[in-house]
Amino acid sequence: LPSGNGIPKKMVSSDHAVGIRIPDHPVPLAIARAFGSPIITTSVNVSTEEPICAVGDLAPEFVAAVAVIVDDGPLENEPSTIIDFTEDSPSILRKGKGYEDLKPFIEFFPAT
């Protein structure tokens, strides 16, 4: 999404956009509900590498750099769908989990 005022500069890309992740997992959803606000975070996955799906697969330097790791067991390794909403019409950057559910809403917007 286009970045707005109040977004920390560390979270804004060079093209003035910010990524919003909507999890489909009960643990991060429960944590966000408990905080009562969105959580600013990053992914441990590097886009050019295989997804990390288990705590035991985390790089030691990552484990040493964080205060808390929540382990709810192995996770799915299907990448999520990424949609760019920075232009007038949304565009699909990656088709992944959730795409079929979102497809009717995305197709509502005319192609540019």
Side-chain angles (χ1 to χ4, degrees):
L1 295 168
S3 177
N5 294 333
I7 305 294
K9 289 184 181 185
K10 288 182 178 182
M11 304 305 296
V12 178
S13 69
S14 61
D15 59 352
H16 307 287
V18 63
I20 307 294
R21 182 183 308 241
I22 303 172
D24 184 23
H25 191 278
V27 173
L29 290 172
I31 292 170
R33 273 190 220 100
F35 278 123
S37 65
I39 301 168
I40 297 174
T41 186
T42 187
S43 175
V44 298
N45 295 322
V46 178
S47 63
T48 58
E49 298 178 10
E50 287 294 311
I52 295 172
C53 300
V55 171
D57 296 335
L58 292 169
E61 57 271 14
F62 178 83
V63 174
V66 299
V68 175
I69 295 175
V70 177
D71 186 357
D72 192 47
L75 301 172
E76 294 181 25
N77 67 355
E78 182 182 0
S80 56
T81 295
I82 299 176
I83 307 168
D84 183 345
F85 287 102
T86 60
E87 302 295 329
D88 291 337
S89 294
S91 61
I92 305 298
L93 302 180
R94 179 174 71 197
K95 290 181 183 177
K97 185 173 181 174
Y99 175 73
E100 290 303 319
D101 294 330
L102 297 169
K103 190 176 176 182
F105 301 102
I106 296 164
E107 290 176 346
F108 175 79
F109 292 92
T112 54

